[in-house]
Amino acid sequence: MRPLIVANWKMNNGIKESLSYMEVFKPIVKDCNADIAICPPFSGISELKKSMKGTNIKIGAQNMHHEDNGAFTGEVSPQFLKELGCEYVIIGHSERRKHFNETDEFINKKLISALNYRLIPILCVGEDMAQRKKHETKRFIKKQLVAGLGKIGGADVRNIVIAYEPIWAIGTGNNATPDQAEDVHLHIRDLLSKIYGKSSTANVRILYGGSMKPENSKELMVMPNINGGLVGGASLDPKKFAEICMNV
Ligand code: 13P
């Protein structure tokens, strides 16, 4: 399976910084063996997309509303993302669940809407440390996955990406070990396969996210069910992110 490496810049990098980033990043990754996407803040999507013209780099968004348009002050619709040339959209990141109270039901609406617009949703799931300590990880991931995917069908599941991001590993410098991550990734693949059948889900990419960096990306990505990464902090440095992309 061709790996996918996604940068989630979160609320970092204005337009000027984004463009100088690209000048460093583009030449290093031009022969990369992975699919690459960058998810900048909404304000930078348009300019960044222009700077990617003729490259192997794709653009994505960090969030969207599920409605096409309407009285939702401050929100961005999938239609607008599509108009800007977005191919991916991160859905249900733990920071959105925590700070903006996004529920699995709301996340499912976004997922369906993204699929309707032919955006590739990257559905994020992941447990916190208390849940891990209580051995609740797999049960919790199942709940998030089943509710997040909701009623989408087998044909649609082929077009989504799942990201396993243990909350305790995000921004902490403490990544899950390759074995810990693979254990959950395999669980996710088994669940998908049980719900939708093996043929629809064998090629669904499951990304790992949480303190992924050049020093650990290779050992994580050799695991059979880790098919790429969703990178936060290390993606803010173009050289580090490029190294992760080239290291697949
Ligand atoms: P870090 O790579 O900074 O741990 O963030 C991971 C993340 O949240 C990506 O979505």
Side-chain angles (χ1 to χ4, degrees):
M1 206 182 308
R2 191 173 160 87
L4 168 65
I5 316 290
V6 181
N8 175 9
W9 284 357
K10 309 192 179 182
M11 201 168 70
N12 296 291
N13 286 343
I15 292 178
K16 235 164 116 182
E17 292 150 308
S18 304
L19 296 179
S20 31
Y21 179 108
M22 290 305 281
E23 291 318 303
V24 180
F25 184 67
K26 282 192 290 194
I28 316 179
V29 298
K30 72 178 184 344
D31 297 317
C32 185
N33 290 323
D35 291 339
I36 303 171
I38 296 182
C39 301
F42 179 70
S43 56
I45 291 178
S46 182
E47 286 300 314
L48 206 63
K49 169 76 185 170
K50 282 187 216 152
S51 80
M52 291 172 177
K53 201 163 180 243
T55 73
N56 52 341
I57 308 159
K58 309 285 189 202
I59 192 115
Q62 299 174 13
N63 178 38
M64 56 170 244
H65 197 276
H66 61 275
E67 297 282 357
D68 298 345
N69 44 50
F72 300 101
T73 302
E75 289 295 304
V76 170
S77 99
Q79 199 176 345
F80 307 156
L81 296 183
K82 204 64 196 178
E83 198 173 41
L84 293 175
C86 283
E87 298 196 26
Y88 295 90
V89 58
I90 300 172
I91 304 273
H93 191 281
S94 60
E95 287 151 17
R96 296 219 52 92
R97 293 176 190 259
K98 180 176 172 202
H99 302 302
F100 304 97
N101 302 316
E102 289 195 6
T103 61
D104 287 325
E105 291 67 33
F106 192 47
I107 287 163
N108 176 243
K109 285 187 182 159
K110 294 184 187 214
L111 194 91
I112 291 170
S113 175
L115 288 166
N116 284 340
Y117 276 93
R118 302 270 179 275
L119 287 159
I120 301 172
I122 303 170
L123 172 65
C124 301
V125 296
E127 82 289 0
D128 64 21
M129 188 44 105
Q131 289 166 321
R132 174 157 283 265
K133 281 191 175 149
K134 285 190 268 171
H135 306 285
E136 286 172 359
T137 299
K138 290 189 179 167
R139 195 151 46 97
F140 183 68
I141 300 287
K142 181 176 179 185
K143 177 193 152 287
Q144 282 189 323
L145 201 65
V146 169
L149 294 173
K151 292 190 177 69
I152 72 159
D156 277 335
V157 81
R158 294 169 195 265
N159 300 321
I160 66 165
V161 172
I162 308 284
Y164 169 55
E165 296 207 311
I167 292 169
W168 49 271
I170 295 178
T172 60
N174 302 318
N175 58 289
T177 65
D179 287 339
Q180 281 174 324
E182 172 62 18
D183 186 40
V184 179
H185 283 229
L186 180 61
H187 175 63
I188 293 172
R189 183 146 333 269
D190 285 346
L191 287 169
L192 291 174
S193 161
K194 272 193 197 116
I195 306 170
Y196 297 100
K198 213 171 180 162
S199 64
S200 303
T201 55
N203 292 321
V204 171
R205 290 187 285 198
I206 308 173
L207 314 184
Y208 169 78
S211 299
M212 185 181 263
K213 43 194 176 238
E215 296 79 11
N216 62 25
S217 64
K218 210 168 187 163
E219 60 183 27
L220 284 158
M221 275 187 281
V222 294
M223 303 309 276
N225 288 288
I226 301 184
N227 317 115
L230 181 53
V231 189
S235 78
L236 297 176
D237 177 331
K239 289 190 181 145
K240 281 191 185 164
F241 186 54
E243 198 178 336
I244 295 173
C245 294
M246 296 307 285
N247 246 340
V248 296

